[in-house]
Amino acid sequence: MKKIAVIFGTRPDTIKLAPIILELKKHQKDFSVVTIATAQHRQMLDQVLDVFKIVPDYDLNIMQAKQTLASLTQKIITALDEVLEKEKPDMVLVQGDTTTTFVGGLAAFYRNIPVGHVEAGLRTHDKSNPFPEEINRRLTSCVADIHFPPTATAAKALQKENIAKGSIFVTGNSVIDALQIAVNQNHLFSLPILNVLTAQKRKIVLLTMHRRENWGAPMKGACEAVKDLAKKFPDMNFIFPVHLNPVVREIVYPILGKSANISLIEPLDYLDFVNLMAKSDLIITDSGGVQEEGPSLGRPILVLRNVTERPEAVQYGTVKLVGLEKKNIFSAAAKLLTDKKAYRTMAAATNPYGDGTTAKRTVLAIQRYFGLTKKKFIPFTPR
Ligand code: UD1
Ligand code: UDP
């Protein structure tokens, strides 16, 4: 019996680890599971835990308003070390590229505990984009012993960094496992206004923004573009669940707060969010996870970034990078909202990131790592 400690702390890493936690728990003969929430996020983490009915064994409760990267790092490593010393797990699992991810990996490394990295190998090769995530994931690769890249492209990036091929398992992305659990054609929104807005025969444009490298002028420019779009298309509903980061809110509310057809709302719980994605005509976002979910739902995505570590859906044509220039965002969105042919070209559903079996693949790779099974590992390939 091996003890696996799963460390998470923000909205996206928790959404993507939830299916893996649930799968690990199905293998009671092989694994005991210890769940550790750093609570780098608080409300946005709790929303995810509620949806997946996960009650962490440890909740480090470290979030503070307007926390700095340094204070986060220091608090997480100190609190995690105590838990790892007590629990002595056989492996630590972390996901993605947040501060919780990197520091979770480092804390395990300091205690000589093997590290498994879920969603490994994403790279832009630009250390400022995304900031600080590009460095978080590179550093996590340095301390990881077993790597779970979602795609063949991500696996190649790891091999280029001389990571042993035998430690790399292409699993797909567990965000698609989560999505398959969450999307339901008959979903009744827990936020009543969404039932009203989605029942109207009006197009829906869904927005999210939060990236640190976009704070300030770039994010302001993107908001101005959205304000102009809402003015040009008064018969469409623009819905924007605003991230709880105060820096983001201080930019978004003054620019977009007074437009009649823009609904600025609180972050949605995961079920409401993905089911709203499924009912949206266009999604404009700088989110990593949303870029992965959109293609699977056949929703065109305009990405508010200049580079992406998720090139697959751009190649498939469902995702387009529009950067942060106001006029580029406006013209790309206006074209999709008026030109049916351009819209149809982008709206085809594709699955470059997963087929819903990533958690199973990940758990199988961990069983093989510990010699618990001889079952063959079959890498994920897009259909
Ligand atoms: C973090 C991650 C980022 C990820 C994003 C997902 C780092 C450095 N950043 O960015 O990679 O893409 O989460 O959303 O790991 N806040 C709340 N309640 C919450 C969450 C946040 O009030 O539930 C506020 C707090 O004031 C907090 C601030 O937002 O101090 C920033 O949170 P933090 O986790 O440091 O950064 P994010 O911008 O959320
Ligand atoms: N999401 C959510 N509620 C929202 C907005 C997003 O549940 O109001 C989900 C979304 O479906 C995706 C994840 O949060 O799975 C993305 O998180 P975020 O954009 O905060 O972080 P990133 O993926 O950019 O790191």
Side-chain angles (χ1 to χ4, degrees), residues 40-41 43-44 64 66-67 99 133 210 243 245:
Q40 173 179 336
H41 283 175
Q43 303 91 318
M44 285 159 54
Q64 280 193 339
K66 290 200 173 182
Q67 60 209 4
T99 297
E133 292 82 3
H210 72 85
H243 195 285
N245 195 322

Side-chain angles (χ1 to χ4, degrees), residues 186-248:
N186 303 317
H187 178 75
L188 188 66
F189 290 96
S190 62
L191 187 69
I193 180 76
L194 295 180
N195 293 313
V196 177
L197 293 175
T198 54
Q200 294 169 351
K201 294 272 168 274
R202 290 160 68 106
K203 282 193 176 162
I204 293 176
V205 180
L206 177 61
L207 302 144
T208 81
M209 285 179 217
H210 72 85
R211 302 237 76 86
R212 269 183 166 67
E213 66 276 12
N214 294 344
W215 287 356
M219 197 174 275
K220 277 188 190 152
C223 288
E224 302 280 359
V226 172
K227 189 176 176 184
D228 291 352
L229 282 165
K231 204 165 163 197
K232 182 174 167 72
F233 299 105
D235 55 342
M236 297 185 190
N237 290 329
F238 290 71
I239 307 179
F240 188 167
V242 189
H243 195 285
L244 290 182
N245 195 322
V247 184
V248 174

